[in-house]
Amino acid sequence: MPVSRQEASEALEDFKREYTGLSQVKYVLLENKKDFHDHYGPNTERVVQAWAGKLGAYSRSTRTIALALAAHDDKSEIAATLAHEGIGHSGINTFSGAEKRGLIDALIESKKHPGALRDSYWKAVEDAYPHLSKSEQAEEIFSLMAETIHARGGGQYNAKAFDHAWQKSVVEQSEPLQAWGLAQVVEHVAHGLRENTRQHQIFPTSDTDQFRLATPQEQMAAISSHLNQGNFSDRERSIILERIQNNARYADNTAQPKASELER
């Protein structure tokens, strides 16, 4: 029996309370044809067919997560989809364009090396999304890991382990990215979204424009909007801004993008 709108709404509110760093993301619950029409307008018939079998989707251009209620059996499945779309597809855009390119390249490189990423994650994603480019598949692996992190309860972030995995596997690419390392990268993002210390840095004008860097004005506007909505004290504002600056320190050390083509 499909999850009810009330159950989905409860799961959504739990997710929003936990990941307050995603406060700028919008959410749409698609339960019936009217919901599809209200959201997609004249494209409803085509969109309904395209949604067959899909659990959820993230629109990068509008920062909207849509959930198909008929495809979910209970609240736990809704929570897993929210982790996939929110921590995964939305959260990955809290890296800078250069950082995301490095991460995507590291994920593509991991396919050449034995281990869980190649033998489990890559296999699962290639079977499910054979039509996607390698860069798109790599982002799906990041999002699939977000589901894994959610399923085990999260909260296992280790800053030193993240630093090692990021420096060696993403910045230097001197070590292949393994499942434990990717898990720490995802935990790093999830931790920042819980603590309100991560902000979107990639603002695509369309879902295929994935690496346009935010201008300084856009970055400041996003941060200011976030702080203004939170009713923070001056001290809390200072702490949050400092954390955001600390999060950005990795950008200066990120290697130049490789020549691989990244469509997404």
Side-chain angles (χ1 to χ4, degrees):
M1 183 176 180
V3 65
S4 69
R5 182 177 289 270
Q6 180 177 344
E7 290 174 319
S9 297
E10 290 171 356
L12 176 55
E13 290 306 311
D14 289 342
F15 182 79
K16 290 164 69 175
R17 277 193 296 270
E18 182 171 4
Y19 297 102
T20 51
L22 291 172
S23 62
Q24 301 300 311
V25 172
K26 295 172 283 189
Y27 301 87
V28 176
L29 300 181
L30 302 172
E31 185 179 23
N32 50 47
K33 196 166 185 178
K34 181 179 182 301
D35 293 331
F36 278 92
H37 184 271
D38 289 346
H39 188 57
Y40 293 105
N43 298 316
T44 298
E45 293 298 332
R46 178 175 58 82
V47 170
V48 168
Q49 294 178 6
W51 266 83
K54 290 183 65 174
L55 297 171
Y58 176 64
S59 170
R60 295 154 189 81
S61 56
T62 63
R63 280 187 282 174
T64 300
I65 294 174
L67 302 171
L69 303 196
H72 295 83
D73 292 328
D74 53 41
K75 288 171 63 175
S76 66
E77 288 191 357
I78 289 286
T81 301
L82 285 168
H84 182 101
E85 306 296 344
I87 303 170
H89 289 302
S90 180
I92 199 171
N93 281 347
T94 62
F95 289 109
S96 71
E99 288 174 318
K100 182 176 176 181
R101 283 179 182 273
L103 177 56
I104 294 294
D105 278 333
L107 280 163
I108 293 172
E109 177 66 21
S110 73
K111 189 174 183 294
K112 303 175 184 177
H113 303 275
L117 284 185
R118 185 191 73 177
D119 301 329
S120 297
Y121 286 84
W122 268 106
K123 184 178 186 308
V125 167
E126 287 180 326
D127 287 348
Y129 305 100
H131 59 290
L132 296 184
S133 69
K134 282 292 178 283
S135 59
E136 292 175 305
Q137 290 175 342
E139 185 171 318
E140 289 296 339
I141 288 172
F142 182 90
S143 299
L144 186 59
M145 180 60 77
E147 285 191 57
T148 302
I149 295 301
H150 162 78
R152 72 185 189 196
Q156 299 181 37
Y157 175 53
N158 183 313
K160 288 185 177 179
F162 163 74
D163 285 340
H164 178 91
W166 187 264
Q167 186 65 33
K168 297 297 184 181
S169 299
V170 177
V171 177
E172 299 174 7
Q173 296 202 12
S174 58
E175 296 178 2
L177 184 61
Q178 300 289 346
W180 70 266
L182 178 59
Q184 282 304 315
V185 174
V186 175
E187 286 275 18
H188 175 75
V189 172
H191 178 75
L193 293 176
R194 291 190 190 98
E195 298 292 316
N196 282 317
T197 58
R198 295 192 71 84
Q199 299 290 326
H200 284 91
Q201 298 189 63
I202 301 174
F203 299 89
T205 56
S206 70
D207 283 354
T208 57
D209 176 20
Q210 276 294 280
F211 293 97
R212 184 178 71 83
L213 299 182
T215 66
Q217 293 80 6
E218 286 175 325
Q219 291 176 327
M220 288 307 299
I223 293 170
S224 297
S225 174
H226 171 71
L227 294 179
N228 289 338
Q229 290 180 20
N231 193 28
F232 297 105
S233 68
D234 289 342
R235 181 175 180 276
E236 288 170 329
R237 286 170 181 264
S238 297
I239 291 172
I240 290 171
L241 285 171
E242 182 179 357
R243 287 176 176 173
I244 291 170
Q245 290 166 352
N246 287 340
N247 173 65
R249 73 186 186 275
Y250 296 101
D252 294 335
N253 297 322
T254 302
Q256 289 297 314
K258 292 186 176 180
S260 58
E261 197 71 28
L262 297 178
E263 300 85 355
R264 175 173 169 135

